[in-house]
Amino acid sequence: MMFFKNKSMLRNHHKGERVFILGNGPSIKEEDLSFLKNEVSIGINASTLLEKDWGFTQDYYCVSDARFINHPEKRSLATNLLSKKTKRFIRADLRDSDDPSLRGSTFYVPHLLRDGFSKNLAVGYYYGSTTTMLAIQIAYHLGFQDVYLLGVDLRYSGENPRFYKESSVQLEDSFTSVQLMNIAKAGEIFREESRGLYICSKNSFLRPYLPYVNLGDKI
């Protein structure tokens, strides 16, 4: 099993490159993701379901939500349905519940406080009440120049707040302001370093806080 004890571990491994983070909002179903066969991607939670439909393999995958390790319906999305080529980043305190056979391809990252931004995953990450924050901090740690958020809608309403069906729908409206604040702060940090954090979801609540990019203009 791997921990971020070595500060140089994967640090700036993708310096200057671009990456696409795959959120779980409904808008991601509207995108043609076949282009990801030739791009670097970071998946989140149920993004594993998108691989078969579009014929790509996630380069990285992260989970900070215990449900995707402990829930009987969702566990497979983070374990046996995930490609063995994919490097996993899992919240450290979920290690004992994780599939032992995957520990060789998994980085267990300690979580710090709720609000903030970590520039070094050797120290840990700020969870910001959304796994998207872990993905963004992974992208920063790996050195990506431009980071594009797909399916990060943050609109938790109706029966289908996510692109996939849930037997028990969990709405997270009470955390939306926390999520917005932390992702907006992450955007400021990227801008200060002349790097880009962009939102590609047209109706995302992040539109006022991050620059919007039409995905079709980037592929």
Side-chain angles (χ1 to χ4, degrees):
M1 74 189 74
M2 296 182 283
F3 295 86
F4 272 92
K5 291 181 179 178
N6 183 343
K7 292 184 179 181
S8 65
M9 189 178 292
L10 290 181
R11 192 78 178 270
N12 291 324
H13 187 67
H14 292 276
K15 188 174 179 62
E17 299 178 32
R18 71 177 185 176
V19 67
F20 295 85
I21 291 177
L22 310 179
N24 287 189
S27 69
I28 203 164
K29 292 182 67 175
E30 302 169 8
E31 305 291 357
D32 179 347
L33 302 179
S34 58
F35 77 97
L36 290 174
K37 296 175 186 177
N38 302 309
E39 298 284 351
V40 184
S41 61
I42 300 175
I44 295 172
N45 295 343
S47 61
T48 313
L49 295 171
L50 302 169
E51 293 186 324
K52 184 178 179 180
D53 291 341
W54 295 106
F56 70 94
T57 298
Q58 298 167 108
D59 298 272
Y60 302 97
Y61 171 83
C62 60
V63 164
S64 63
D65 187 336
R67 290 173 297 172
F68 283 85
I69 295 296
N70 298 322
H71 193 284
E73 293 179 13
K74 296 181 177 181
R75 180 179 175 84
S76 62
L77 300 176
T79 55
N80 62 296
L81 291 184
L82 198 64
S83 170
K84 296 188 183 301
K85 297 179 181 179
T86 302
K87 291 182 174 65
R88 302 162 80 237
F89 291 79
I90 307 295
R91 198 178 80 206
D93 63 347
L94 298 177
R95 183 185 70 253
D96 291 342
S97 301
D98 196 16
D99 185 335
S101 69
L102 296 176
R103 289 177 180 171
S105 60
T106 302
F107 297 97
Y108 296 99
V109 189
H111 66 283
L112 304 171
L113 301 174
R114 187 190 71 177
D115 303 325
F117 188 89
S118 174
K119 295 184 177 182
N120 185 356
L121 293 186
V123 176
Y125 79 100
Y126 292 86
Y127 60 92
S129 297
T130 171
T131 306
T132 300
M133 276 301 296
L134 174 55
I136 293 171
Q137 289 164 94
I138 291 169
Y140 182 96
H141 183 93
L142 294 174
F144 286 103
Q145 175 67 30
D146 293 308
V147 180
Y148 299 92
L149 304 179
L150 281 62
V152 183
D153 305 336
L154 302 187
R155 291 179 176 269
Y156 305 107
S157 60
E159 296 181 359
N160 299 304
R162 300 171 180 86
F163 79 87
Y164 59 96
K165 299 290 185 180
E166 296 178 282
S167 58
S168 178
V169 177
Q170 180 170 334
L171 301 181
E172 301 186 32
D173 292 302
S174 59
F175 299 112
T176 302
S177 60
V178 173
Q179 296 168 343
L180 289 170
M181 176 185 69
N182 280 282
I183 297 175
K185 177 61 178 177
E188 292 176 5
I189 291 171
F190 271 78
R191 286 193 294 275
E192 289 169 359
E193 300 186 12
S194 299
R195 297 161 74 174
L197 180 62
Y198 305 100
I199 184 68
C200 297
S201 304
K202 187 179 299 184
N203 296 316
S204 173
F205 278 149
L206 282 167
R207 285 288 299 273
Y209 307 100
L210 297 181
Y212 169 74
V213 168
N214 185 313
L215 185 60
D217 295 336
K218 290 294 173 182
I219 57 176

